[in-house]
Amino acid sequence: MHLFFLAVEVTIGGMRIIASAHSSFPRVGDRPEEQKLRRAFAGLEKGKITEAEYKSAQDELISEILTIQESAGIEIVTDGLIRWYDHASHLARNLNGFEINGLLRFFDTNTYFRQPIISDKISGGNGAMADEAGFLAEKTSRTAKAVILGPYSMMRMSQNSSSINREELIEKLGTIIGSEISRMGAAGAAIVQVEEPFLIREPGGFDLFAAGFKALNKARGNTPILPAFYFGDCGKILDRLVDLPADILGLDFTYSPGLLEKIAVDGFPKPIAFGIIDGRNTRMESAGDIARAIEKAMVRIKGDTCHITSSCGLEFLPRDYAIAKLELTSKTAKLLNG
Amino acid sequence: MSRELLNRLGIEIPLLPTTSVGSFPKPPYLTKARSDRKKELISSDDLYNLEQQATKEWLDFQESIGMDILVDGEMYRGDMVAYFAEIIPGFDPGGLVRSYGNRYYYKPIIKSKLKYPGPMTVEWWKRAQTLTKKPIKGMLTGPYTIMDWSFNEYYPDRAAASYALAELIRDEVSELIGAGCKIIQVDEPAVSVRPEELEIAKNALQIVTEGQNAYFITHICYGAFEKIYPAMLDLPVHNFDLELSNSDLDMLEHFARHPFTKDITFGVVDVHTHKIEDVELIKTRIEQALKYLPKEAVWIDPDCGLKTRTVEESKQKLSNIQAAVEAVRAELQE
Ligand SMILES: [Zn+2]
């Protein structure tokens, strides 16, 4: 399809931009009263508290994080992913047929994930992730966004010890994750963000990614999805993302200075979640600068709502900075909406 | 092979010398003292005395089991980046961020031009070295890793911040050498995650080591080694201390395809599991390694710092390593 002709159909000035949380949020802050979950986790490891008590500590923290997001003016909220050990093992733990292995670095974040091991018996989940989405939806009056790791990144983060080849495996993971998304939607998630951080750095994997995504799309039912790409230059794969069967695309703008300009010139036929507030650095951007930069791109996008958010989850920042970044997000959205 | 260099420096090592990556767990009394100090329940002198006591206990332990190249165990350090960031002017302490599971660390922020504050580790090294005849490694965190694990609000880019840090780590290396230190480890665990920045790490390490008369080791762990191998062999050090057991020794295949051209300190036990690998398993791992690496070039240690294990677990892991090495040495001499 030709981007230029699509872009002409956009009603300039009709676009609304929504302040959105990306995904993760710091579980602790620097003050002792902000470290309840850390103490609960230690208590659980020492056998001093039960699983149920630990879960209620998580529930309590999610409520606090929702209050933080809401007070910062965020309209699309998440549970901060505070129940996740990490992206890959959280998914593996809640599906069948996976084992969980040693630690590996998660990109250059100085955080780690436990590597899942894929067996021949992998299959759908135990419903825990849908319950988590349901809890989030119940606790907020804002738009509840649930988050899940996408099939391509799941495959890349796992060790394949099964007899399934890559092509079959990606479809299988796509179907399994798509069904989970459908359950999360049924449980109350208004939208599910499908995270694919591995794709941008490996554009050669696009066909495999697309096959997995196709299977996911078939299985997700009518739950709206937001595939999110980060930790790299999204400009490299932008043209190929256009045809993705998704309701809105989440892009990291911090690795690609030319990307906004490209969209401003070429237009884009789908709403975008602008991951433009740097989630990796404490340096505070100016809301005015960001609003001016986005504005030109925004008017060339087809659709009536876009999101503005951080480039990635905010867990990589100390909590006070994460809160300031949320406030910056909603301040920028206000400037753009006029 | 750098045995000649070590000889020239006056250091004699046996075949398969045993060592540690750097950190050991703090005994419970020291953990308590550190938290008491934060609440100002004890004086800094009280804390210092306990840090000394714990250092001596770890040195005694390493000697008692017959280890060859010792470490002070870093009883006086918390996080490997925060320790330096707290001393170097230009850093702000930042705030807590999660590493994995329930582990958090203070991630510092570069706020202004960084300056060398004078010796940061030398007194501790000197004091520890008076307690033993075995060589003690000088332990520093590398410039690339300090940069990568900090926020940067001052320097224009990642390279500039790395090189500024390299200049002051170089000063610290000179101070260590001046104090008599011969083996210096500059940890760069972060280099394995951004292959495209290997050049920055290399240039930074070049600044640190160029013209400095010591045997240099760098420790790298938990990354995609296959993406930086064999290019990483160009880093200007004599010995690579690598985490290899956590990933089932799968790097050995790469060593088969492209020979390892420097000395290697081969990680033979996982540091993230409570499970104690038995002597037989460690022996098998060493024997596997020797199929791909010349025996004169191999040193043996755990995968990474042991600070996340308990004192007891760490001692058992180290004892089993020592026993396995001695068994392999005996077989090699038959
Ligand atoms: Zn390590």
Side-chain angles (χ1 to χ4, degrees):
Chain A
M1 88 181 74
H2 201 291
L3 297 187
F4 178 76
F5 291 109
L6 280 166
V8 180
E9 297 165 18
V10 173
T11 324
I12 295 182
M15 174 69 72
R16 206 175 92 78
I17 195 142
I18 305 174
S20 172
H22 188 282
S23 49
S24 63
F25 190 79
R27 293 159 203 217
V28 309
D30 295 346
R31 292 165 281 275
E33 65 271 22
E34 296 170 328
Q35 297 179 5
K36 280 180 269 182
L37 191 73
R38 188 184 190 181
R39 289 193 292 272
F41 197 147
L44 180 71
E45 282 184 321
K46 288 184 195 137
K48 283 184 184 158
I49 68 165
T50 63
E51 283 283 350
E53 284 167 323
Y54 179 61
K55 190 170 174 295
S56 66
Q58 290 181 321
D59 291 351
E60 203 179 303
L61 177 59
I62 290 171
S63 298
E64 285 171 25
I65 289 175
L66 286 170
T67 307
I68 290 172
Q69 295 174 68
E70 288 163 10
S71 328
I74 299 296
E75 291 180 58
I76 299 176
V77 296
T78 72
D79 66 5
L81 316 190
I82 62 107
R83 301 186 203 272
W84 296 24
Y85 191 95
D86 59 69
H87 279 66
S89 71
H90 185 72
L91 184 54
R93 201 164 277 135
N94 290 304
L95 299 173
N96 288 311
F98 288 87
E99 273 183 62
I100 293 165
N101 210 5
L103 291 168
L104 289 176
R105 291 191 188 283
F106 184 54
F107 296 93
D108 54 346
T109 58
N110 198 18
T111 66
Y112 299 79
F113 67 93
R114 289 205 178 269
Q115 187 176 40
I117 302 180
I118 295 170
S119 76
D120 281 321
K121 284 179 272 185
I122 57 167
S123 65
N126 53 15
M129 286 181 294
D131 291 346
E132 290 166 11
F135 181 83
L136 167 66
E138 186 197 308
K139 290 288 167 190
T140 185
S141 54
R142 306 279 165 95
T143 304
K145 179 168 80 170
V147 182
I148 196 166
L149 184 67
Y152 183 75
S153 298
M154 184 59 175
M155 188 174 84
R156 289 287 292 101
M157 292 168 88
S158 305
Q159 182 185 319
N160 183 8
S161 296
S162 73
S163 58
I164 314 169
N165 69 34
R166 275 154 55 99
E167 286 69 24
E168 277 174 67
L169 180 60
I170 195 79
E171 279 190 31
K172 202 160 181 168
L173 286 171
T175 305
I176 292 172
I177 293 171
S179 316
E180 291 302 314
I181 292 171
S182 160
R183 293 162 86 174
M184 291 158 105
I191 188 164
V192 178
Q193 177 160 304
V194 184
E195 305 223 332
E196 287 285 15
F198 271 77
L199 183 65
I200 314 175
R201 294 193 184 192
E202 307 169 351
F206 200 93
D207 290 342
L208 213 50
F209 156 78
F213 204 85
K214 195 172 155 198
L216 175 151
N217 186 49
K218 221 165 133 188
R220 66 148 157 153
N222 51 17
T223 304
I225 48 171
L226 186 173
F229 307 93
Y230 53 91
F231 291 164
D233 180 357
C234 292
K236 281 194 234 163
I237 51 167
L238 190 65
D239 294 341
R240 304 193 68 182
L241 291 176
V242 171
D243 298 324
L244 220 55
D247 303 277
I248 175 166
L249 289 179
L251 304 177
D252 180 344
F253 284 79
T254 58
Y255 285 77
S256 37
L259 187 55
L260 277 176
E261 194 53 42
K262 183 177 156 72
I263 294 170
V265 172
D266 296 345
F268 200 72
K270 226 182 214 78
I272 289 177
F274 287 94
I276 193 165
I277 313 275
D278 194 343
R280 297 288 306 277
N281 203 346
T282 49
R283 190 188 281 152
M284 282 297 154
E285 300 93 333
S286 123
D289 288 350
I290 294 186
R292 267 189 297 281
I294 286 195
E295 208 170 17
K296 284 190 233 126
M298 218 174 86
V299 296
R300 302 295 313 277
I301 289 171
K302 190 173 159 66
D304 49 20
T305 45
C306 281
H307 304 176
I308 180 166
T309 185
S310 48
S311 57
C312 58
L314 291 173
E315 202 196 2
F316 310 113
L317 296 174
R319 188 185 272 188
D320 291 349
Y321 289 91
I323 294 171
K325 294 272 178 176
L326 287 178
E327 286 163 352
L328 177 63
T329 306
S330 62
K331 190 173 167 196
T332 312
K334 278 203 195 90
L335 286 176
L336 284 163
N337 290 327
Chain B
M1 267 21 78
S2 312
R3 290 203 168 228
E4 305 82 58
L5 170 62
L6 285 165
N7 284 341
R8 251 186 290 132
L9 291 166
I11 289 184
E12 279 186 43
I13 48 167
L15 211 50
L16 306 177
T18 51
T19 188
S20 307
V21 172
S23 68
F24 289 140
K26 297 178 177 69
Y29 67 79
L30 184 55
T31 311
K32 180 171 183 302
R34 285 168 69 91
S35 101
D36 286 351
R37 176 64 199 136
K38 266 187 208 142
K39 296 176 209 147
E40 299 194 2
L41 297 173
I42 61 169
S43 71
S44 65
D45 281 1
D46 294 340
L47 177 62
Y48 183 69
N49 289 336
L50 293 172
E51 288 167 344
Q52 299 246 40
Q53 182 188 328
T55 306
K56 178 159 184 344
E57 285 167 9
W58 275 116
L59 287 170
D60 289 349
F61 174 77
Q62 294 169 82
E63 276 208 296
S64 74
I65 63 167
M67 295 186 74
D68 301 300
I69 290 136
L70 312 191
V71 295
D72 70 12
E74 302 176 12
M75 294 297 109
Y76 54 98
R77 301 188 196 181
D79 173 76
M80 63 185 280
V81 167
Y83 176 76
F84 292 96
E86 277 163 20
I87 307 175
I88 299 170
F91 273 106
D92 176 282
L96 277 180
V97 295
R98 198 169 71 104
S99 168
Y100 71 96
N102 207 28
R103 298 202 70 89
Y104 295 82
Y105 67 101
Y106 277 91
K107 184 163 177 174
I109 306 171
I110 304 175
K111 287 273 188 189
S112 58
K113 191 172 160 59
L114 300 172
K115 291 193 192 79
Y116 183 58
M120 299 180 273
T121 62
V122 179
E123 279 314 307
W124 277 103
W125 180 85
K126 276 207 296 211
R127 197 174 286 275
Q129 190 62 82
T130 60
L131 299 173
T132 174
K133 291 206 163 53
K134 299 266 176 83
I136 295 185
K137 291 196 272 193
M139 300 293 309
L140 302 172
T141 305
Y144 180 81
T145 297
I146 299 182
M147 176 282 297
D148 196 48
W149 295 357
S150 304
F151 299 110
N152 170 23
E153 297 190 10
Y154 177 76
Y155 290 98
D157 53 38
R158 294 165 60 85
S162 300
Y163 302 154
L165 281 157
E167 294 292 345
L168 53 96
I169 297 297
R170 176 180 175 82
D171 290 344
E172 184 70 7
V173 165
S174 305
E175 292 286 345
L176 276 169
I177 292 173
C181 186
K182 313 250 196 268
I183 303 177
I184 299 176
Q185 183 170 312
V186 186
D187 289 341
E188 287 288 18
V191 308
S192 57
V193 285
R194 277 203 190 188
E196 72 278 14
E197 289 189 350
L198 189 63
E199 200 60 27
I200 297 178
K202 186 177 130 189
N203 295 339
L205 271 181
Q206 187 68 32
I207 295 171
V208 172
T209 60
E210 193 165 26
Q212 305 260 40
N213 190 29
Y215 179 88
F216 285 99
I217 304 174
T218 189
H219 168 66
I220 306 178
C221 58
Y222 303 104
F225 291 134
E226 64 279 7
K227 287 199 180 146
I228 55 166
Y229 189 82
M232 76 178 197
L233 291 170
D234 293 338
L235 293 175
V237 295
H238 306 100
N239 185 321
F240 287 83
D241 178 1
L242 304 178
E243 157 270 320
L244 295 160
S245 293
N246 172 65
S247 46
D248 295 327
L249 309 186
D250 54 11
M251 267 311 283
L252 288 176
E253 284 170 38
H254 297 274
F255 299 165
R257 247 172 284 145
H258 189 290
F260 205 90
T261 52
K262 294 196 167 168
D263 292 350
I264 185 168
T265 308
F266 198 94
V268 290
V269 298
D270 189 351
V271 301
H272 291 118
T273 167
H274 298 288
K275 206 181 78 209
I276 308 297
E277 293 88 343
D278 61 31
V279 177
E280 257 328 288
L281 175 63
I282 300 172
K283 230 183 112 206
T284 316
R285 286 177 179 166
I286 299 171
E287 285 159 356
Q288 281 290 109
L290 293 181
K291 284 187 195 151
Y292 298 87
L293 299 159
K295 60 180 188 292
E296 296 77 16
V298 178
W299 300 25
I300 302 291
D301 74 347
D303 268 355
C304 189
L306 283 163
K307 72 175 174 191
T308 62
R309 300 276 57 86
T310 64
V311 171
E312 225 12 74
E313 287 163 358
S314 304
K315 287 184 172 176
Q316 285 178 26
K317 283 183 187 251
L318 292 171
S319 301
N320 286 3
I321 289 177
Q322 189 66 33
V325 164
E326 281 165 15
V328 177
R329 275 180 196 154
E331 284 170 16
L332 288 172
Q333 270 150 19
E334 270 167 20

